[in-house]
Amino acid sequence: MSVKLSPSTLLSLSPPLLHAHHSPSLISMSILRRLAPNHLTTHLRHHHRRRLATVAAAVRQDTTIWTQAPLSEIEPAAESLFHVSIDVSDYPDLAASHTRAGQYLQLRVPDVEKPSFLAIASPPSYAAEKGAFEFLVKSVAGSTAELLCGLKKGDVVELSQATGRGFEIDQIEPAEKYPTVLIFATGSGISPIRSLIESGFSADKRSDVRLYYGARNIKRMAYQDRFKDWESSGVKIVPVLSQPDGRWTGETGYVQAAFAMAKQIYSPTGTGAVLCGQKQMTEEITSILVSDGVSIEKILKNF
């Protein structure tokens, strides 16, 4: 007695029957010929893609290179923010992985599997010259970052290699063609901006380079001790406080509002921008810039 199976019936068979250790001869060729070829091909293709995705995910996990390195410095940088320096002098390959401002790496603390993703605050040349990576870390309750901020000098952490495209600063070069560069940062988002400024992007050869840096109050604003050097390199600092005390005489509110009031974009085609910080800020600033004629390709982000 012969049994005829419809294509839908055969496709409903469990995957092990089709893909385990059964010989193809156990399935009648006459049955296979009755299958709609497109249905079978689609089924097998989808199954193959799922297998590949699973294998690829496992490979990504397995190929992360972790390097143990000691903390060389950890101290408060501002309210809820910590300056963290990690000694990588014994690991030249790790140091060399940082090639562009705006890159980040993964960090794991002892006995915790879940890593923290941290933007590198020091410029790319710093690791080769000083043998260290520096970070600005926000201590968030219940996070790996909070555990990191509770460690002390000499404690060992694990680092992955630096990754990410970083700020593609070549998009707004040469300086003569893009004399205006507008930089925006909020909170700990100033970390990769420090890397950018201190690695150099010909700010002194541009006529208008501004950094709008937002924080809740002056106590939460990191790197104030570097402002003078940044200004000397050609970057005008515009601090913006959303909840200042009564003594503050500078810009107030949010970064995007402060910029919208000032703007002063004299040549949209000669303007570039660099953004890092809160999603709402980056989205609103991008919208303002694009509406004023700045090319979206000249608005740089590190993600």
Side-chain angles (χ1 to χ4, degrees):
M1 180 178 69
S2 63
V3 178
K4 295 183 180 180
L5 298 178
S6 67
S8 59
T9 302
L10 184 59
L11 290 176
S12 68
L13 293 174
S14 62
L17 181 58
L18 291 176
H19 304 289
H21 302 288
H22 294 271
S23 169
S25 62
L26 295 179
I27 300 176
S28 169
M29 292 305 295
S30 63
I31 294 175
L32 291 177
R33 281 194 294 269
R34 292 189 184 98
L35 286 173
N38 290 338
H39 289 175
L40 180 60
T41 301
T42 300
H43 173 73
L44 294 175
R45 185 184 298 120
H46 288 173
H47 177 76
H48 183 61
R49 286 176 179 172
R50 287 196 298 270
R51 291 283 301 275
L52 287 178
T54 302
V55 171
V59 169
R60 284 196 298 270
Q61 292 175 351
D62 293 342
T63 57
T64 300
I65 300 173
W66 294 101
T67 301
Q68 292 188 335
L71 295 176
S72 54
E73 189 177 359
I74 182 163
E75 60 183 20
E79 189 175 283
S80 78
L81 295 172
F82 288 80
H83 168 76
V84 175
S85 181
I86 300 177
D87 183 359
V88 295
S89 58
D90 290 336
Y91 310 102
D93 289 345
L94 176 59
S97 69
H98 186 205
T99 60
R100 180 182 282 175
Q103 288 183 299
Y104 61 90
L105 53 68
Q106 297 180 66
L107 180 148
R108 295 195 304 201
V109 300
D111 303 319
V112 178
E113 187 67 23
K114 184 178 180 180
S116 182
F117 290 79
L118 300 176
I120 303 172
S122 46
S125 61
Y126 190 84
E129 296 172 359
K130 304 293 185 180
F133 282 150
E134 293 189 339
F135 306 89
L136 181 67
V137 183
K138 182 177 181 179
S139 180
V140 178
S143 69
T144 300
E146 180 186 36
L147 297 175
L148 171 62
C149 294
L151 299 179
K152 60 183 183 299
K153 180 179 179 179
D155 286 341
V156 174
V157 296
E158 290 184 311
L159 303 178
S160 73
Q161 295 210 333
T163 189
R165 70 189 186 196
F167 298 122
E168 297 175 318
I169 206 68
D170 56 306
Q171 293 290 324
I172 52 175
E173 290 180 341
E176 295 77 15
K177 187 176 180 180
Y178 299 96
T180 298
V181 176
L182 305 169
I183 308 172
F184 303 89
T186 54
S188 60
I190 194 64
S191 176
I193 298 300
R194 173 201 155 189
S195 181
L196 173 67
I197 294 173
E198 296 182 4
S199 64
F201 60 101
S202 304
D204 59 339
K205 296 180 180 179
R206 305 178 195 260
S207 58
D208 181 18
V209 180
R210 284 172 269 162
L211 166 60
Y212 289 85
Y213 177 16
R216 181 179 300 177
N217 55 55
I218 198 66
K219 293 181 179 179
R220 290 188 173 229
M221 184 164 280
Y223 297 145
Q224 294 178 53
D225 59 328
R226 296 179 178 270
F227 286 179
K228 186 176 180 179
D229 289 340
W230 292 357
E231 295 246 4
S232 297
S233 72
V235 180
K236 180 182 178 181
I237 313 297
V238 184
V240 184
L241 303 183
S242 60
Q243 297 179 20
D245 60 27
R247 295 170 294 176
W248 179 249
T249 59
E251 297 288 342
T252 59
Y254 294 111
V255 163
Q256 53 269 42
F259 173 66
M261 292 183 65
K263 272 193 186 177
Q264 297 175 338
I265 298 178
Y266 303 109
S267 173
T269 58
T271 298
V274 183
L275 284 66
C276 190
Q278 296 171 340
K279 182 179 179 181
Q280 181 179 350
M281 181 275 287
T282 60
E283 289 178 347
E284 292 185 13
I285 289 293
T286 298
S287 178
I288 294 171
L289 292 172
V290 170
S291 66
D292 281 352
V294 178
S295 170
I296 189 70
E297 295 178 352
K298 308 306 177 183
I299 302 174
L300 311 182
K301 304 172 186 179
N302 66 329
F303 53 86

